[in-house]
Amino acid sequence: MPQVVDAEVLVVGGGPVGMLVAAELGLTGVRVVVLERRAAVSDRPKANTLHARAVQSLARRGYLDAVAGAADAAAQPFHFAGIGGLEIAAPEGEPTPILKLAQADLERALERRAVAHGVTVLRSHEVTQVSQDADGVRVEARTPDGTTCFSALYLVGADGGAGRVREQAGFAADTSAATVSALMGQVRFADPDTAPRGWQRTSRGWVVCRPEPDGTGVIRTLDFDAPADRRARPTLDELRTEVSRVLGHDVPMTEALYLSRFSDFTRVARTFRRGRVFLAGDAAHIHFPIGGQGLSTGIGDAFNLAWKLGCAVRTGSGDRLLDTYDVERRPVVEQVVRNTRAQLALMRPGPELDPLRELFARLLPFGEVSALLGGDLSAQETVCSAGRDSACAWTGRFLSNRLLKTDHGTEDVMELLRAGRPLLLHHADSGLRHAAVAGRWDHTVRLVRVHGQRPLERDALLVRPDGYIAWTSESEDLADLLGAWFGRPR
């Protein structure tokens, strides 16, 4: 008989999104098992851009402590559809709004943290069957020692666009067929000095190249003529030919360290939750990878979902809280899809778009335009809809980092959120009655008494573990919200 392993939450997929969900749940004491098909972290080039909201969220748990340069909030230059001039900024006191970090390095850091929090990570475990009933979920996985069965209260599918959880659990999705084809290669250049640099557009398409000092580099091509069969295995000769066709001259490459093919095929699950099964990251949504938004969007999924699952397991909060994951994250993903489609439309090489590209090049340096598009790309304009109250515009907004005078001295928001607990920030004098209400949930909610200036000019704020403001003293029904989200009071 197959061995049966019990957990409170199963996470299928050990990429950055799955490992982050696991680490966050482990931080709160949830028993988590991660099932990963690969035997080890892959060093193949993947995503390497983390945008501001993802960086800010990771920093609030200390995941970026060892990353140099993550503490400078100076505006960073970026692009929109390959057009330079966009500046992405973050509030003072926040980390850098754009962090370049190899996905493999992020995966390793998150796995170390997950294991330190008691998470069990099982590699070379390929999921073959997923089922659920009213009491829990059951997963079968092919392992080096045969078939193993796993049971849990909840399952998170973070197994990528080709993963099995979405299909096995019966998630429907909306899709859009590919209209373009793209190649990506990590290659060795015959003469690195002649390799193109940056974004190169011609009437035949795009070449984007990032050479490295050791003579290697990542080079991408984008062809708008006809989408290629994504299942066809790319070759170095094909990449050489495509680069030459787009640029109009050869770029000698002697070796391909890694090759892949992608397109603008889009898929978004119609719901990110079915019963006890949840989707996150590429398992829930895939889109054209322009602007480096894919990884950061998955990080946002993970932070939103993990604390809610943790509450469901630890405090008994139920569907009312768990349903907010889909309610809050799917509109964010749909906006990302619209954004990538808008950029791709601008990238089409026809001369009829040249006046529009010239207009964007003139508009991007303007502060208000950069703030609008930069806030969109960086997810800093994301608002969480659950619990929003029209009585206070701050509800649903992310609480930016700031110094607060507390009973323990001067602390900032990042330090206070490090433990992953919800916070009730209440003024030492005017917030006492709100603290009395929240005190009945002090086994879950951390009460922080603030002296001096009131935070956001409010007597009290309830801050979710993911950093978003759930409630302010301008609103009513604090007890109702605490009960719905964090279970029964003591």
Side-chain angles (χ1 to χ4, degrees):
M1 292 289 292
Q3 177 187 4
V4 177
V5 179
D6 290 322
E8 289 175 318
V9 177
L10 286 171
V11 177
V12 179
V17 174
M19 283 299 180
L20 178 56
V21 170
E24 287 288 286
L25 288 169
L27 176 64
T28 60
V30 176
R31 289 188 292 111
V32 184
V33 173
V34 177
L35 305 178
E36 168 53 46
R37 176 180 55 83
R38 299 169 300 167
V41 174
S42 171
D43 283 304
R44 291 174 174 174
K46 296 181 181 178
N48 70 343
T49 299
L50 287 171
H51 279 297
R53 184 48 45 82
V55 177
Q56 293 158 8
S57 299
L58 290 166
R60 276 155 174 73
R61 295 289 193 274
Y63 292 117
L64 301 178
D65 285 355
V67 180
D72 180 7
Q76 297 292 312
F78 205 65
H79 68 89
F80 188 83
I83 304 169
L86 181 64
E87 292 281 334
I88 296 184
E92 185 179 354
E94 294 288 355
T96 177
I98 301 175
L99 179 63
K100 292 294 184 179
L101 181 65
Q103 180 172 317
D105 293 338
L106 178 61
E107 283 185 33
R108 292 187 180 98
L110 294 174
E111 182 172 0
R112 287 193 296 270
R113 185 67 67 88
V115 171
H117 291 160
V119 173
T120 300
V121 178
L122 301 177
R123 293 190 171 272
S124 301
H125 280 56
E126 183 177 4
V127 170
T128 56
Q129 293 291 330
V130 174
S131 61
Q132 66 170 309
D133 57 28
D135 298 318
V137 295
R138 185 178 174 88
V139 170
E140 291 185 11
R142 187 182 301 116
T143 80
D145 300 319
T147 299
T148 302
C149 297
F150 299 84
S151 62
L153 296 174
Y154 298 101
L155 168 66
V156 177
D159 49 346
R164 289 186 174 174
V165 171
R166 183 187 64 258
E167 182 179 326
Q168 289 276 336
F171 284 85
D174 294 317
T175 62
S176 297
T179 66
V180 302
S181 60
L183 291 171
M184 189 275 287
Q186 184 182 24
V187 302
R188 189 173 302 281
F189 296 104
D191 184 357
D193 291 337
T194 65
R197 281 166 169 74
W199 295 72
Q200 310 286 326
R201 180 179 61 84
T202 75
S203 61
R204 296 171 292 279
W206 287 79
V207 169
V208 184
C209 186
R210 189 181 73 247
E212 300 292 345
D214 64 358
T216 65
V218 174
I219 188 166
R220 297 175 176 86
T221 65
L222 182 56
D223 177 13
F224 290 85
D225 288 340
D229 183 357
R230 191 178 178 186
R231 295 167 296 182
R233 188 173 181 176
T235 66
L236 180 58
D237 282 342
E238 182 184 8
L239 180 61
R240 288 190 188 111
T241 300
E242 184 64 7
V243 170
S244 178
R245 184 191 71 82
V246 174
L247 293 180
H249 60 82
D250 292 340
V251 176
M253 296 172 252
T254 61
E255 181 185 6
L257 306 175
Y258 174 67
L259 294 168
S260 68
R261 190 189 307 277
F262 58 98
S263 72
D264 61 332
F265 171 78
T266 300
R267 178 175 60 222
V268 178
R270 291 177 184 168
T271 179
F272 291 179
R273 178 194 181 193
R274 290 200 78 234
R276 294 179 174 270
V277 182
F278 300 80
L279 299 180
D282 288 353
H285 45 82
I286 57 175
H287 52 80
F288 185 64
I290 183 69
Q293 298 174 81
L295 175 57
S296 294
T297 304
I299 294 295
D301 293 346
F303 274 112
N304 189 291
L305 175 60
W307 75 267
K308 295 172 181 178
L309 273 178
C311 286
V313 172
R314 283 286 167 260
T315 71
S317 59
D319 289 342
R320 185 174 167 186
L321 176 60
L322 292 176
D323 282 343
T324 65
Y325 170 61
D326 175 77
V327 169
E328 291 184 341
R329 290 307 297 171
R330 201 151 41 87
V332 173
V333 169
E334 289 167 348
Q335 175 57 30
V336 170
V337 170
R338 288 191 292 270
N339 182 283
T340 57
R341 285 175 173 164
Q343 292 191 67
L344 189 61
L346 270 176
M347 294 176 73
R348 296 187 181 275
E352 68 276 7
L353 288 172
D354 286 345
L356 189 57
R357 280 187 280 266
E358 292 169 4
L359 177 61
F360 264 81
R362 291 169 54 199
L363 289 175
L364 287 179
F366 283 89
E368 291 185 358
V369 176
S370 271
L372 174 65
L373 295 179
D376 203 8
L377 277 167
S378 65
Q380 292 183 101
E381 291 302 310
T382 297
V383 175
C384 290
S385 56
R388 285 211 76 195
D389 190 334
S390 58
C392 181
W394 282 108
T395 56
R397 299 279 180 182
F398 195 73
L399 180 61
S400 59
N401 196 32
R402 62 198 64 215
L403 294 175
L404 300 171
K405 293 181 179 179
T406 74
D407 289 350
H408 301 285
T410 301
E411 300 178 276
D412 66 13
V413 170
M414 286 190 189
E415 293 171 307
L416 292 170
L417 283 170
R418 186 140 185 161
R421 292 179 62 185
L423 306 174
L424 194 284
L425 305 178
H426 65 96
H427 192 264
D429 298 322
S430 58
L432 292 178
R433 66 185 181 92
H434 305 298
V437 173
R440 299 165 62 200
W441 282 268
D442 63 1
H443 56 296
T444 299
V445 179
R446 179 183 175 187
L447 275 63
V448 179
R449 186 161 56 183
V450 179
H451 302 269
Q453 186 175 2
R454 295 183 301 160
L456 301 182
E457 301 301 319
R458 300 295 186 273
D459 293 336
L461 304 175
L462 178 64
V463 185
R464 300 165 20 156
D466 58 1
Y468 287 86
I469 298 170
W471 172 92
T472 81
S473 51
E474 299 295 304
S475 309
E476 301 293 336
D477 301 326
L478 175 59
D480 289 345
L481 183 63
L482 290 169
W485 284 12
F486 305 121
R488 294 180 178 179
R490 280 190 299 113

